[in-house]
Amino acid sequence: MEDNILDPELLANRLLEEEEEFHHLNNPAESIKPIIKKYLGVPNHADQVGNKFYFTDGDAKVEVVVVTDQIIRIRLAPHGVFLEDFSYAVPKLPQKTASFTLYENEVEFKVSTDAVSCHIRKKDFFISFSDSDNNITSADATPMHWEENIKFGGYYVFCTKECHTEESFFGMGDKPTDFNLRGKRLKNWNTDAYSFAWNQDPLYRSIPFYISVNEGISHGIFFDNTFKAHFDFGAEDTTKTSFWSDGGELQYYYIHGPHMMDVVKNYHILTGTHPMPPLWALGYHQCRWSYYPEAKVKKITTGFRENKIPCDGIYLDIDYMDGYRCFTWNRKYFPDPKKMIKELADDGFKTVVIIDPGIRVDDNYSVFKEGKENKYFCRRSDDYFMEGHVWPGRCQFPDFTNPEVRDWWGGLFDELVQMGVAGVWNDMNEPAVFGAGTFPDDVRHQYDGHRGSHRKAHNIYGMQMVRATYEGLRKIMKNKRPFTITRAGYSGVQRYSSVWTGDNVASWEHLKLGNIQCQRLSISGISFCGTDIGGFSGEPDGELFTRWIQMGTFSPFMRAHSAGDTKEREPWSFGEPYTSINRKFIELRYRLLPYMYSAFWEHHRYGFPILRPAVMQEQQVTGNYFRQDEFTYGDKILICPVLEPGKPSRIVYLPKGKWYYWWNNELVDGGKELEVPTPLETIPVFVKAGSVIPEYPVMQYVGEKEIEEVKLNVYYSDYEANSFLFEDYGETFAYEQDIYLEKKFVVNGTKTSLTVQQSMEGLYTPRYESYAFNVVGLPFKPSKIKADGKTITNFKINSDKCLEFKLSKNFKVLEIMK
């Protein structure tokens, strides 16, 4: 054989044949097909590896992963090769036990759990989902498709689903538009949007998660793709809902309900919840661009104490720095920052400082020098450093997608923490660059070893910055909880930070927007949210500022903030009657801190959103699909802010059930709208019957007073209702070792009695010994009270017609009888 192969005549003939074969193709480029969208073909094969199922049309491949009984992940590989499985939003897929089965018949493949089925139609690769009652909840309108990206490599990826006539959509973070997203077309690309307007898009955060409600059944789609992404909720074609991105994988999670609450809780299983904040972070915060010098800071904090207006947080914006260099101090304005911070702390104020990502190019600046020597700054594709102008001038920017850089960055906070700084505010981290807007596309990132250009890393840059900040602070502060707040973020940012809605405007329109945005953020995984009270730019009058304080009282994060070219706006800046009303509402927030803190625990431990819109209360009531004013804080207190000037009353919708009006304890029936008076000193606040609302005494700051007893406001109901009270140290991570107390109250009433049962879980022991009961709405005159079989004789009916008495904090069964 070897002789034949080496035979010259055979070789010559073979070469001639190959040459003739080659010449059949005069132009090799003719064989290259034009770039067009390509669609999945006919699935002809299925493989199973554990909880992963693979389907192929011979070229493209689709992965179906059973995550839990309610969550199924879909991934598309256009030519059969998946990218490495990595996500900043979902650090680790839950290892929850799920029973699942693969079925096949002539029509389809079907992957089923006890709660949901994923159908892959054989004739065209359409993917759909159904519930255990065989209701189709989500279905492709076309097969998944893609288009090659010649310029950057990879693919544009597309998914289009059926959109039903009555289907409504919610979520997507803090988009500044109507709460119901039906008919909207939106984009995810983190953007510094100063003084943004109604319907302006995109803004600071990218949360590619939406909730669908159709025929009373809810499901969610989480499109975990960090590239610039687009969502169309029946805007271009009312029969179709689409989401697509400029790169990356087509990877999404189908999250089943059937209730919106179930969808949000399951989304939290994937992306996490906020850690418990320090209790002081739920107090009132005051901020401005900027409070300086030190004398000005002291004047503001003294103003709070002299006016007897509670406040816990004071913020220092960029002017506290030396030439806007991060981690430095302007010693002209703040000659002894450690001394100042201690004096503020002695007066009950926690100091929060701003830190931006831009590091000034200056070899005499230690942070820049370290970053440069260790190659921690972002580079462009041709190896030049990414440089841009922000507040310090010419800057370079750390690559926060590199874990080594994150460790370094976190360690830079050591000196600030030693000075007593209690919290850090990360700003400008979209990332924002003056003139250019943001980084060029060709900036490259380490991406935790998975590599990527800025097209891939842009939307997670801010999240990874605040991650580095939070993890660094947590390490330095040891067992003390850090407080962080970020302007930019991506899904999962809640594991590291609170947020605010960015540079809003002092207008009634923005008051309405802020109400919608906080509700939307809350159901999008980010419950620890708030607005710049009073508006960042522009000038509010006293009425607008006061109405904003009233709404902010019931925002999980409460902070007033304004730009440097505006008049000052502290709670007393507008004189009377505004000062007294603002004080009254800020005091109300401090009274309700144990309730708000408990709602935060329900979020952290169980995945409940803190703010809950009307549609989440009653998703079967289609009239609620377009309600966007009313919301509940937790599930017991309903708030309807006053969002227009000069309104003596407003219409409020109450969900079904019985509700007590907070201000006079009047009992009203829900399931309908009612007109509520709205003089400047009140807003509509209602408490659900059967609730137990814990209350602290008013304090000027968290920890000012030792809690000697907790007031329990018990609202009578003729049905059983549950309430929770969470207690712990309020500033440590001991709760992670079960050193907390979770109390459950069960209230049940008849025409002649009311019983309250208390049970407890956890290892924490609060210092106070007793409850002060305030029982509202008894339909009978009480004559006998028993606690754990012992009679209580010392009780009275107060001027508000409420029953008052005191009782040991450890009671188990309380009986109030006619």
Side-chain angles (χ1 to χ4, degrees):
M1 286 294 293
E2 287 184 5
D3 292 338
N4 289 338
I5 290 173
L6 295 174
D7 184 273
E9 187 176 345
L10 284 174
L11 280 174
N13 289 337
R14 184 171 296 173
L15 288 170
L16 184 62
E17 288 171 6
E18 289 176 357
E19 189 175 347
E20 287 177 354
E21 201 173 289
F22 174 77
H23 281 299
H24 284 297
L25 186 62
N26 294 321
N27 182 359
E30 288 181 359
S31 66
I32 300 176
K33 296 178 182 178
I35 301 298
I36 58 172
K37 284 185 182 176
K38 293 186 177 180
Y39 293 76
L40 284 170
V42 176
N44 57 36
H45 191 62
D47 287 312
Q48 179 179 353
V49 181
N51 64 336
K52 298 179 180 180
F53 300 84
Y54 295 94
F55 305 89
T56 180
D57 62 5
D59 184 16
K61 187 178 284 188
V62 171
E63 179 189 68
V64 176
V65 181
V66 178
V67 182
T68 71
D69 283 340
Q70 294 83 23
I71 304 173
I72 291 179
R73 187 180 75 177
I74 305 295
R75 281 208 299 169
L76 166 68
H79 293 297
V81 180
F82 293 98
L83 297 177
E84 290 183 69
D85 197 350
F86 175 79
S87 168
Y88 282 121
V90 185
K92 187 176 182 181
L93 276 181
Q95 298 297 315
K96 297 222 168 190
T97 303
S99 58
F100 47 85
T101 311
L102 173 65
Y103 300 95
E104 179 182 357
N105 59 29
E106 293 179 357
V107 176
E108 66 178 9
F109 299 100
K110 184 173 71 169
V111 177
S112 293
T113 74
D114 291 340
V116 64
S117 293
C118 174
H119 307 260
I120 295 91
R121 201 159 71 191
K122 284 187 172 180
K123 72 175 183 179
D124 49 20
F125 228 132
F126 275 46
I127 295 176
S128 61
F129 298 88
S130 65
D131 63 17
S132 56
D133 294 324
N134 296 319
N135 298 301
I136 299 295
T137 52
S138 171
D140 284 352
T142 60
M144 292 189 291
H145 44 291
W146 62 93
E147 182 179 315
E148 191 174 348
N149 187 326
I150 292 296
K151 185 176 180 181
F152 294 103
Y155 308 92
Y156 301 95
V157 291
F158 306 83
C159 187
T160 302
K161 295 188 172 292
E162 294 177 358
C163 182
H164 300 277
T165 306
E166 300 300 323
E167 194 168 5
S168 290
F169 302 94
F170 307 93
M172 294 292 296
D174 54 348
K175 300 295 187 184
T177 189
D178 297 300
F179 190 65
N180 191 326
L181 298 173
R182 178 65 189 246
K184 305 293 183 183
R185 189 167 184 152
L186 303 168
K187 183 190 297 182
N188 276 357
W189 186 250
N190 292 359
T191 302
D192 179 4
Y194 180 79
S195 297
F196 58 89
W198 186 277
N199 284 330
Q200 182 174 332
D201 185 56
L203 294 190
Y204 306 93
R205 272 163 292 277
S206 295
I207 312 297
F209 165 63
Y210 70 82
I211 303 168
S212 158
V213 182
N214 182 47
E215 295 183 348
I217 300 173
S218 183
H219 75 270
I221 297 290
F222 172 37
F223 179 33
D224 190 8
N225 182 299
T226 62
F227 287 74
K228 184 180 291 181
H230 313 260
F231 294 79
D232 185 305
F233 298 103
E236 181 178 320
D237 182 338
T238 58
T239 67
K240 293 177 181 177
T241 301
S242 299
F243 50 92
W244 66 100
S245 76
D246 292 0
E249 277 191 334
L250 179 45
Q251 171 181 254
Y252 71 90
Y253 293 83
Y254 171 86
I255 305 172
H256 192 62
H259 301 290
M260 288 180 70
M261 182 66 78
D262 300 319
V263 175
V264 174
K265 288 172 68 176
N266 283 318
Y267 173 74
H268 281 305
I269 287 174
L270 292 172
T271 61
T273 59
H274 293 276
M276 288 299 290
L279 185 57
W280 68 264
L282 299 186
Y284 177 77
H285 299 213
Q286 186 69 40
C287 184
R288 181 173 173 81
W289 176 29
S290 294
Y291 288 131
Y292 71 95
E294 178 180 323
K296 181 64 176 180
V297 177
K298 292 286 189 66
K299 182 180 178 182
I300 296 300
T301 55
T302 299
F304 276 97
R305 300 300 179 241
E306 288 180 346
N307 284 283
K308 298 293 183 187
I309 297 175
C311 182
D312 266 275
I314 187 76
Y315 285 60
L316 301 180
D317 210 321
I318 55 176
D319 295 288
Y320 82 89
M321 303 177 194
D322 176 16
Y324 306 128
R325 294 170 178 83
C326 294
F327 306 101
T328 67
W329 289 87
N330 184 321
R331 296 291 175 162
K332 178 182 175 183
Y333 297 151
F334 300 96
D336 191 346
K338 186 172 185 177
K339 179 172 177 285
M340 178 194 73
I341 292 170
K342 182 183 186 305
E343 289 170 353
L344 291 172
D346 290 344
D347 205 15
F349 289 93
K350 302 293 192 296
T351 302
V352 181
V353 298
I354 195 170
I355 294 287
D356 292 348
I359 301 300
R360 181 179 172 87
V361 176
D362 176 358
D363 284 319
N364 295 317
Y365 170 34
S366 63
V367 176
F368 174 75
K369 190 177 178 184
E370 280 181 35
K372 178 182 177 182
E373 289 174 353
N374 291 287
K375 300 181 179 179
Y376 287 156
F377 297 122
C378 293
R379 292 175 182 258
R380 303 190 65 174
S381 61
D382 290 331
D383 218 31
Y384 292 101
F385 283 106
M386 158 57 206
E387 292 192 351
H389 280 76
V390 281
W391 299 114
R394 188 161 66 99
C395 290
Q396 293 182 13
F397 301 82
D399 181 7
F400 296 110
T401 72
N402 184 335
E404 186 180 341
V405 176
R406 290 197 299 269
D407 287 344
W408 166 71
W409 182 263
L412 293 174
F413 289 94
D414 186 68
E415 185 177 348
L416 290 173
V417 172
Q418 302 313 320
M419 286 184 172
V421 166
V424 174
W425 164 24
N426 284 161
D427 197 21
M428 299 289 287
N429 55 350
E430 288 72 34
V433 178
F434 294 160
T438 190
F439 293 2
D441 283 341
D442 73 333
V443 170
R444 63 183 195 266
H445 295 268
Q446 201 261 4
Y447 217 87
D448 278 71
H450 298 272
R451 302 162 303 283
S453 73
H454 195 66
R455 296 169 64 244
K456 180 178 178 180
H458 176 86
N459 283 337
I460 53 85
Y461 186 86
M463 172 188 179
Q464 293 310 297
M465 178 189 183
V466 80
R467 173 187 180 181
T469 300
Y470 176 81
E471 290 176 344
L473 289 173
R474 177 158 183 175
K475 193 179 295 182
I476 295 164
M477 296 170 75
K478 298 187 168 56
N479 195 33
K480 210 168 188 179
R481 300 175 206 169
F483 169 72
T484 51
I485 181 166
T486 182
R487 193 167 76 177
Y490 181 75
S491 291
V493 70
Q494 65 268 16
R495 301 193 301 272
Y496 313 112
S497 184
S498 62
V499 307
W500 86 106
T501 59
D503 296 339
N504 59 359
V505 180
S507 69
W508 290 93
E509 179 180 69
H510 267 262
L511 180 63
K512 292 178 186 176
L513 262 182
N515 184 28
I516 295 169
Q517 287 178 294
C518 285
Q519 292 181 61
R520 198 192 319 275
L521 278 165
S522 193
I523 67 166
S524 301
I526 306 175
S527 273
F528 200 2
C529 57
T531 65
D532 281 349
I533 290 173
F536 182 71
S537 64
E539 300 291 349
D541 60 14
E543 182 186 8
L544 175 57
F545 185 82
T546 293
R547 290 303 194 192
W548 218 313
I549 283 282
Q550 291 170 342
M551 184 180 82
T553 297
F554 296 98
S555 297
F557 174 62
M558 186 183 189
R559 182 184 73 167
H561 183 35
S562 56
D565 59 355
T566 64
K567 295 176 183 176
E568 293 188 358
R569 59 189 69 157
E570 290 74 49
W572 59 85
S573 298
F574 300 92
E576 294 293 353
Y578 307 109
T579 299
S580 294
I581 298 170
N582 293 337
R583 179 190 299 112
K584 166 186 168 182
F585 272 86
I586 295 171
E587 286 181 348
L588 174 60
R589 183 176 180 90
Y590 278 73
R591 288 164 54 196
L592 290 175
L593 275 180
Y595 173 81
M596 293 178 166
Y597 193 57
S598 299
F600 215 111
W601 172 252
E602 289 186 81
H603 163 80
H604 168 74
R605 177 77 178 269
Y606 302 109
F608 292 102
I610 292 177
L611 303 187
R612 307 175 191 183
V615 65
M616 182 174 273
Q617 308 286 332
E618 297 177 321
Q619 75 178 40
Q620 74 280 8
V621 179
T622 55
N624 287 336
Y625 290 8
F626 293 91
R627 293 191 186 280
Q628 53 191 27
D629 290 359
E630 302 93 340
F631 63 90
T632 61
Y633 194 113
D635 67 336
K636 307 298 184 191
I637 301 179
L638 182 138
I639 302 97
C640 189
V642 177
L643 305 171
E644 295 177 1
K647 285 289 186 180
S649 65
R650 70 152 300 162
I651 300 298
V652 178
Y653 174 78
L654 292 177
K656 290 176 183 175
K658 294 184 182 297
W659 297 83
Y660 289 87
Y661 189 48
W662 173 266
W663 305 108
N664 63 11
N665 294 329
E666 179 186 352
L667 182 64
V668 293
D669 289 323
K672 61 185 179 183
E673 293 182 337
L674 64 155
E675 187 171 357
V676 181
T678 54
L680 185 62
E681 61 269 19
T682 66
I683 60 170
V685 179
F686 292 84
V687 180
K688 189 183 291 185
S691 299
V692 177
I693 306 295
E695 190 177 316
Y696 282 166
V698 171
M699 291 181 273
Q700 294 306 298
Y701 57 91
V702 169
E704 181 198 20
K705 302 173 184 175
E706 184 74 36
I707 304 296
E708 295 179 353
E709 67 181 14
V710 171
K711 184 178 181 181
L712 291 185
N713 298 288
V714 180
Y715 292 83
Y716 171 88
S717 69
D718 57 4
Y719 52 83
E720 185 176 297
N722 296 334
S723 296
F724 292 90
L725 170 59
F726 174 80
E727 296 174 312
D728 73 348
Y729 287 110
E731 62 177 6
T732 75
F733 286 96
Y735 70 88
E736 294 181 343
Q737 280 75 48
D738 294 338
I739 302 177
Y740 63 82
L741 206 55
E742 182 181 291
K743 299 178 179 178
K744 179 182 177 183
F745 300 102
V746 181
V747 173
N748 206 345
T750 69
K751 292 180 180 179
T752 59
S753 69
L754 177 69
T755 61
V756 181
Q757 297 179 344
Q758 178 183 223
S759 58
M760 290 177 269
E761 173 190 311
L763 303 174
Y764 174 72
T765 303
R767 291 187 179 180
Y768 67 88
E769 292 299 330
S770 62
Y771 295 132
F773 273 84
N774 181 56
V775 183
V776 180
L778 287 174
F780 57 86
K781 185 177 179 180
S783 64
K784 192 175 185 181
I785 301 176
K786 280 190 171 184
D788 299 330
K790 295 181 180 178
T791 301
I792 296 173
T793 56
N794 190 11
F795 62 89
K796 69 175 182 177
I797 304 296
N798 65 21
S799 58
D800 293 326
K801 299 180 181 178
C802 299
L803 172 65
E804 289 185 348
F805 58 93
K806 295 186 179 183
L807 185 58
S808 165
K809 68 180 180 184
N810 296 319
F811 84 93
K812 292 181 179 178
V813 180
L814 170 67
E815 300 170 275
I816 303 170
M817 293 159 278
K818 184 174 179 179

